Amino acid sequence: MANIIDILTVLMMGTSFAVFGLRQYRHSIIAYALQTLLLVTIFLALYVKYGSHELLVWSITAFIIKVVIVPLYLLSLVKKLGVVVEDEPVGGFFISPVVALSFSLAVAMMFYKVFIHFSIFKDALPLFAASFIFMMGIFGFILRTSFIKQILSYCLFENGIHLSLALMAYTSHELVEVGILTDAVFAVIIMSILAKRFYASYGSLDTSKAVNLRG
């Protein structure tokens, strides 16, 4: 079972890089949905391994909200705005993913050693993956200036938190997961509304163009 979880978490790392690096919004959103499906599968694998019924509830809730509702909502937002490809990010389309990948790997190397001391689950690779996905979300906020990519970066950041929580404290009450999901849904909705208003004002989703908001 540990090997299955290792493989799933490595695939989650690959999809987080795809969410970050893919230029077409539709492809990034599909990569996010796939990553979340992998997360749900990890919940089920941990449920089978440890018999924690909380994880079964987590998996059902996460599947409905994060695999189905949020991606469909973002796809409808992209379609409504009529945008296909993001504007060039800070450092360009090549440098930006390389910087994010390098620093996320480096920071994850430090974080997982701390996590493993406090975790119920003692396999190092999944904890490393959780740290990596978390950091890819952070660097998405820093390096990608597209409003849609920043929403997806928040979703990556949140998936890293979910994976960390499932590994470190899989006996947590179901309401903990529901609370995090509720916050995430409202955050995505609020950021989507801001994205629509920003696009209506600037004709672009590139937040770096809002120079008149500085100061």
Side-chain angles (χ1 to χ4, degrees):
M1 184 61 72
N3 288 336
I4 294 174
I5 294 173
D6 284 352
I7 293 168
L8 291 170
T9 51
V10 170
L11 291 173
M12 282 190 72
M13 290 173 64
T15 51
S16 67
F17 186 67
V19 172
F20 184 98
L22 291 172
R23 295 176 61 181
Q24 290 201 17
Y25 292 124
R26 182 181 175 82
H27 293 168
S28 289
I29 294 168
I30 291 171
Y32 164 70
L34 178 60
Q35 182 189 71
T36 311
L37 184 60
L38 292 168
L39 177 67
V40 168
T41 309
I42 291 171
F43 286 170
L44 290 173
L46 291 170
Y47 161 68
V48 171
K49 182 174 183 178
Y50 297 108
S52 173
H53 74 279
E54 292 89 350
L55 287 167
L56 181 60
V57 178
W58 288 22
S59 61
I60 295 170
T61 311
F63 180 81
I64 294 170
I65 296 177
K66 290 168 64 66
V67 179
V68 179
I69 295 177
V70 170
L72 286 177
Y73 179 75
L74 292 176
L75 286 171
S76 70
L77 174 66
V78 168
K79 185 177 180 181
K80 187 176 292 183
L81 294 177
V83 291
V84 178
V85 180
E86 68 172 308
D87 295 334
E88 187 165 343
V90 177
F93 283 111
F94 177 74
I95 296 297
S96 172
V98 171
V99 170
L101 180 65
S102 305
F103 280 92
S104 295
L105 286 171
V107 176
M109 286 293 291
M110 295 185 290
F111 275 7
Y112 92 90
K113 294 176 182 176
V114 177
F115 286 174
I116 205 163
H117 284 291
F118 300 98
S119 176
I120 302 174
F121 190 85
K122 293 299 182 183
D123 190 351
L125 182 56
L127 292 167
F128 175 84
S131 305
F132 175 84
I133 296 163
F134 179 88
M135 291 310 303
M136 285 297 286
I138 296 290
F139 281 108
F141 272 120
I142 297 171
L143 298 174
R144 307 304 269 215
T145 54
S146 163
F147 236 121
I148 300 294
K149 276 303 182 86
Q150 291 190 343
I151 294 172
L152 287 168
S153 297
Y154 172 82
C155 293
L156 283 182
F157 170 82
E158 193 225 352
N159 272 358
I161 292 174
H162 280 281
L163 181 57
S164 302
L165 183 63
L167 296 170
M168 296 175 69
Y170 51 76
T171 55
S172 299
H173 196 276
E174 297 93 332
L175 289 178
V176 175
E177 172 73 0
V178 173
I180 296 173
L181 281 173
T182 305
D183 285 348
V185 169
F186 278 109
V188 169
I189 291 172
I190 291 169
M191 286 191 284
S192 299
I193 292 170
L194 292 173
K196 282 191 280 189
R197 293 189 175 182
F198 186 90
Y199 190 78
S201 299
Y202 292 92
S204 170
L205 289 170
D206 185 351
T207 55
S208 67
K209 293 183 178 178
V211 291
N212 59 327
L213 296 179
R214 290 177 184 168

